[in-house]
Amino acid sequence: MEHVPPPAEELARLDRELAELDARRAQLLTRRAWLLAALRPTVPTAAPGWNPSGWGAPPGTPAQPWGQVPKRPSAPRGAQNVLLTLGGLLLTVAAIAFTLVSWGSMGIGGRSAVLAAVTLGALAAPAVLLRRGLAATAEALAALALVLTLLDVYAVHAVAAPGTDGLGFTALASAVLAALWTAYGLALGKLRLPLPAAVVLAQWPLLFWAWAVGAPAPVVGWALLATAVLDGAIALWGKGAGVRVTACVGGAVMGFSALMVGLALSLTAPGPLGAVAPGVLLLTASAAAVAGAWRAPKGFARTGGAVAGLAAVAAVGGVPAAALPAGWRVLAYLLCGLALTAVVRSRLPGHAARGVLAASGAVVAGALVWALPPLAAVLLGPVTVLSDVWAGTPDGFRSALGSTLPWSELAAAPVVLALVAGLLGAAYRWWPSVVRLAAPLAGPTTADAGPQAAPAAGAPGTDAPGAAGGAAPWPGWSGWSGRPGAGAGGRGRPSAATLRGVVGAGAVALGWGALLLAGALLDVPHALALAGETALVGVLLALAVRGGGAERGATAMPVTALVASVAGAVSAGLLSLASEGASYAVFGALAALFAGAALRAGAGVPRAVFAVAAVVWGTVITGLAGRSLGLAPHEAAPLMLLVPALTVLLGARLRRNPVALPVELTGALGALVAVGLAVSDAPFLALVLALCGVLAAGTAVRPERRPVAGYLAAALFVLATWVRLAASEVSFPEAYTLPVTVPALLVGAARRRRDPEASSWTAYGPGLAATLLPSLAVAWTDPDWLRPLLLGTAALVITLLGARHRLQALLLLGGTVLALVGLHELAPYVVQVAGALPRWLPPALAGLLLLVVGATYEQRLRDARRLKDALVRMR
């Protein structure tokens, strides 16, 4: 039966269809106008609003017929270059073939005459061609001349000097060719190939000479460094972009090779004296990099400064490192890296000095990364205690970690962390002085013009109050003096308060790690380690609480202290599980510390974190109490509900405080843990579920928690009833559920009579579910026919009542139970019929069903929407 829509709905549908027709008509008219214009002799531009170039070209594109792409004439210059390149390649191949194949069929005079004539001709032709303006042809012949000179060298070695050493001859030949091509390129300045080719040839003379004479590794390093210095000079003063780029690439390769040679020699030196020679090489490389950075552009200057800093650290630090044990060498390099910060008071250009500072930061970061593995072992090692809780107090800190690290070789790790932490702490303490020292490197400022150029405090156009010595070191920055209230930086840069907070956060994290590592390396007694870690947690909590009121942007340090306190508490708690007394002492202290921090902290996320952690530690204490009493896991489950009960009372006390919800949710997670412990024993599970229902009902007393806690309490009580019935092996659950259902339905009817707007789920849902769902569970395992029949009849009656009185709970509960009972009764017959049907029939029927649904999709969608609206309108 076709649905006839109401007049208003039909009118709206007609209006939409007419609007679509109007839009389509306008589109066709525009296309027609363009086609008429395209048929005229002159092609105009497209009509306004129409894109003639084919759906997506930019507006204003000249009109083009669909599918036609305008042809662009090929560039004569490009075709000429292709022809010249092919010609040059063919001539080069011919020359190589002549030299390698036909060389032996000619006499010595003929050989010399042919090669000399061809080479001289190839070298002289570009000069004539350049005077006639044929630059491309001249470049092609110059390339041919370059190949011919290489063939001349090969021919001379093969015929005139076959007995000479190949490496030495190559070194001499490459030097001669580099000089000849340099002179040739300077003479014919319009050619772009000869000078870059000369730079490439200049890379090999010193290296091949060192190999030819069998020089030791230091000499090879000096040869590489000398070549890199030559490349740097060419890059700075060379003629043309091609020459400079080629020199930069060659200098980078040769310089890196020289640094690697020097570093390898320094690291493998047998003693301080042996490290001096590679140190001199590295220092010379550093000086060369600084000299290049002094005149190089911005990006190259920073790179040169970074290379110079790293080379200086390797050179100076390698000498004392060679005299130190393996575990202490990193400290020598770290001290040298920290010494690089003195560049802030040098006269080095700004970009080069920033590169040196970047090198210092890289050295410090490398030292910290070296110290991370033992710190991770200290923090994560106590996890191994979980496999054998309360097995006994270990002898020392290390034995409780279960780590196999070579602790004797990591003796410098806490010193490294403590040294960097101390420097960061000093920078945090004397931040204004650090800012004044770093101001020359912060960027172009008005301070460069002298103190008189500094704007006055509060002057228009300034971002920060005036300070002695000039304006803010970086344009757009404010608050560089580090005073409270400094604003955020401009241009996307962080404010001074943020930078200071990051420095303080680094000091806190590294200092904490240094103390933990020191305890592990000293192998302090287990009790002292527990006391020390717990005390550190208290200090970190104090820092986190004090930082809660920090100025805007300076939140890095309290956040770091908060994270470190939680991590340290977890590590200390796991470490305490080795003995019973230590477990109670540590977790009790942690609960007290975090609870005190929650009371002292201001409103916000940190306070909630403190409170949640205190609840977690309290929950762990209740679990430990169950183990001390010798209770099985399911027997200890009710004891685990003590902390959730306290969170319910605390939530009632806090009311709408932002901390209340996180605390109550954490307590709910503790209750969930209790339920998981009781799963193995059904009677205890029923008891725990009932107790959880009591807690949820107590929470539902509060109006702001009632919408969620009320339904949760009802569900828990019903679930506890079902579990209790199943545990008692009750085969007739209706005898227990009907006495609950009948009064619940009467109470619900009275509620609906007094408040007609009350939801049917609130009035009748718990009462009906108390009987229908347990009966349904039993009916699915009952082989008899009477229970499914009675349950199905009751579900049918409930469904009809729900449809008659428009009650959503009755309709959905009754319909669901009726459908499941019917499915249970029909399942054997469906299986039997499915086994008798051909294999192809079920897929065919499924496909036919999908086709029918797809063909009537719109109608089915409207039916589903009407059904949803009808259900929503029900109470």
Side-chain angles (χ1 to χ4, degrees):
M1 184 176 187
E2 186 66 26
H3 168 69
V4 178
E9 182 180 348
E10 186 174 4
L11 179 61
R13 184 185 304 171
L14 290 176
D15 290 340
R16 287 195 299 270
E17 293 179 357
L18 288 173
E20 293 174 359
L21 290 174
D22 290 340
R24 179 60 178 165
R25 184 174 184 275
Q27 184 181 11
L28 293 175
L29 288 175
T30 306
R31 178 63 180 167
R32 181 179 181 276
W34 182 84
L35 290 174
L36 289 175
L39 293 175
R40 295 173 187 171
T42 58
V43 181
T45 57
W50 176 255
N51 190 351
S53 60
W55 312 91
T61 304
Q64 298 289 342
W66 285 11
Q68 179 177 348
V69 180
K71 296 182 179 179
R72 299 177 60 185
S74 60
R77 182 70 61 183
Q80 180 188 20
N81 291 336
V82 171
L83 293 176
L84 290 174
T85 302
L86 291 176
L89 288 175
L90 291 176
L91 288 175
T92 302
V93 171
I96 294 173
F98 169 77
T99 303
L100 297 179
V101 178
S102 301
W103 183 259
S105 62
M106 301 179 64
I108 185 63
R111 302 172 189 174
S112 303
V114 169
L115 273 179
V118 173
T119 303
L120 291 175
L123 290 173
V128 178
L129 293 173
L130 287 176
R131 285 198 296 269
R132 300 196 176 194
L134 301 176
T137 308
E139 290 286 355
L141 287 179
L144 175 62
L146 173 62
V147 176
L148 287 175
T149 55
L150 296 176
L151 293 176
D152 287 339
V153 171
Y154 166 75
V156 169
H157 181 265
V159 175
T164 58
D165 179 54
L167 291 175
F169 185 85
T170 303
L172 178 62
S174 57
V176 172
L177 287 179
L180 290 176
W181 275 97
T182 300
Y184 185 76
L186 293 175
L188 302 178
K190 294 183 179 180
L191 293 179
R192 291 175 294 180
L193 181 63
L195 290 178
V199 174
V200 174
L201 291 171
Q203 308 301 309
W204 310 113
L206 293 178
L207 181 61
F208 280 114
W209 169 81
W211 285 350
V213 299
V219 177
V220 175
W222 281 105
L224 292 170
L225 180 59
T227 306
V229 171
L230 176 63
D231 289 330
I234 296 173
L236 289 175
W237 295 292
K239 180 181 178 182
V243 174
R244 291 194 295 270
V245 170
T246 306
C248 285
V249 174
V253 174
M254 293 298 176
F256 179 78
S257 302
L259 290 176
M260 290 298 101
V261 171
L263 182 61
L265 293 174
S266 178
L267 293 177
T268 58
L273 293 179
V276 172
V280 173
L281 173 63
L282 292 171
L283 276 181
T284 307
S286 176
V290 169
W294 202 283
R295 297 177 177 270
K298 175 181 176 181
F300 291 101
R302 290 185 178 179
T303 304
V307 171
L310 293 175
V313 169
V316 178
V319 175
L324 294 175
W328 290 91
R329 292 182 179 180
V330 66
L331 190 60
Y333 293 107
L334 176 61
L335 292 174
C336 293
L338 292 173
L340 291 179
T341 55
V343 75
V344 297
R345 306 306 296 172
S346 68
R347 295 184 178 181
L348 200 65
H351 295 299
R354 294 189 192 100
V356 175
L357 288 180
S360 175
V363 173
V364 174
L368 294 179
V369 169
W370 173 81
L372 282 181
L375 180 58
V378 172
L379 290 175
L380 302 178
V383 175
T384 58
V385 181
L386 290 174
S387 60
D388 197 5
V389 177
W390 294 353
T393 303
D395 297 333
F397 193 7
R398 287 188 206 169
S399 59
L401 299 178
S403 176
T404 58
L405 288 176
W407 294 101
S408 59
E409 298 179 6
L410 300 172
V415 180
V416 168
L417 295 179
L419 179 60
V420 179
L423 292 175
L424 292 178
Y428 179 83
R429 173 63 180 83
W430 291 284
W431 181 251
S433 300
V434 174
V435 170
R436 285 195 298 271
L437 289 174
L441 299 181
T445 69
T446 56
D448 297 334
Q452 293 81 5
T462 59
D463 295 322
W474 287 0
W477 275 55
S478 59
W480 258 76
S481 62
R483 291 186 297 269
R491 299 184 184 180
R493 297 188 179 101
S495 66
T498 301
L499 285 178
R500 188 181 185 188
V502 171
V503 170
V508 169
L510 295 178
W512 169 62
L515 291 175
L516 291 180
L517 267 179
L521 287 166
L522 295 175
D523 198 16
V524 298
H526 183 261
L528 182 58
L530 285 178
E533 287 205 34
T534 308
L536 282 177
V537 171
V539 173
L540 292 171
L541 287 176
L543 288 175
V545 170
R546 287 184 58 191
E551 63 269 17
R552 183 179 178 183
T555 57
M557 189 169 70
V559 170
T560 302
L562 174 61
V563 174
S565 65
V566 175
V570 173
S571 178
L574 292 174
L575 195 65
S576 69
L577 294 178
S579 64
E580 183 176 3
S583 300
Y584 283 109
V586 170
F587 280 105
L590 292 176
L593 287 173
F594 278 89
L599 294 175
R600 295 292 302 274
V605 175
R607 187 176 187 182
V609 174
F610 296 146
V612 166
V615 173
V616 171
W617 309 141
T619 305
V620 173
I621 291 174
T622 58
L624 295 176
R627 183 180 179 88
S628 296
L629 295 174
L631 302 177
H634 63 274
E635 295 174 338
L639 186 63
M640 294 285 292
L641 295 177
L642 287 177
V643 173
L646 292 176
T647 59
V648 170
L649 298 176
L650 186 59
R653 177 69 177 83
L654 295 174
R655 305 292 296 178
R656 297 185 182 276
N657 192 297
V659 180
L661 182 59
V663 167
E664 292 179 82
L665 290 177
T666 308
L669 290 177
L672 186 61
V673 172
V675 172
L677 293 175
V679 165
S680 60
D681 189 272
F684 272 92
L685 178 60
L687 174 61
V688 171
L689 290 172
L691 293 175
C692 291
V694 172
L695 296 178
T699 305
V701 173
R702 298 160 53 194
E704 67 273 12
R705 300 285 186 260
R706 188 171 300 156
V708 176
Y711 289 110
L712 181 61
L716 289 172
F717 282 134
V718 172
L719 187 59
T721 303
W722 297 344
V723 173
R724 181 67 261 182
L725 293 175
S728 301
E729 299 181 355
V730 174
S731 59
F732 189 63
E734 292 80 5
Y736 299 90
T737 58
L738 283 175
V740 177
T741 296
V742 172
L745 293 177
L746 293 177
V747 172
R751 168 75 182 277
R752 287 275 299 175
R753 187 177 298 107
R754 187 170 58 254
D755 182 12
E757 297 298 324
S759 173
S760 61
W761 289 100
T762 304
Y764 304 118
L768 291 174
T771 293
L772 289 178
L773 298 182
S775 299
L776 177 63
V778 176
W780 268 70
T781 59
D782 191 352
D784 201 1
W785 58 272
L786 182 59
R787 184 188 302 276
L789 176 62
L790 295 176
L791 181 59
T793 303
L796 177 61
V797 172
I798 293 171
T799 303
L800 294 176
L801 288 174
R804 172 68 180 80
H805 297 285
R806 304 179 63 81
L807 297 175
Q808 191 181 95
L810 276 68
L811 180 63
L812 292 181
L813 278 175
T816 302
V817 172
L818 180 61
L820 292 176
V821 170
L823 178 63
H824 174 263
E825 295 302 311
L826 292 176
Y829 303 102
V830 172
V831 172
Q832 184 178 0
V833 171
L837 291 176
R839 294 289 182 90
W840 57 267
L841 189 57
L845 293 176
L848 181 61
L849 177 62
L850 292 177
L851 288 176
V852 172
V853 173
T856 60
Y857 176 75
E858 294 294 336
Q859 183 63 35
R860 303 287 79 77
L861 189 60
R862 286 194 293 271
D863 294 342
R865 287 172 179 168
R866 285 196 296 271
L867 178 60
K868 183 194 72 172
D869 295 339
L871 286 174
V872 170
R873 286 194 295 269
M874 291 182 178
R875 297 301 301 172

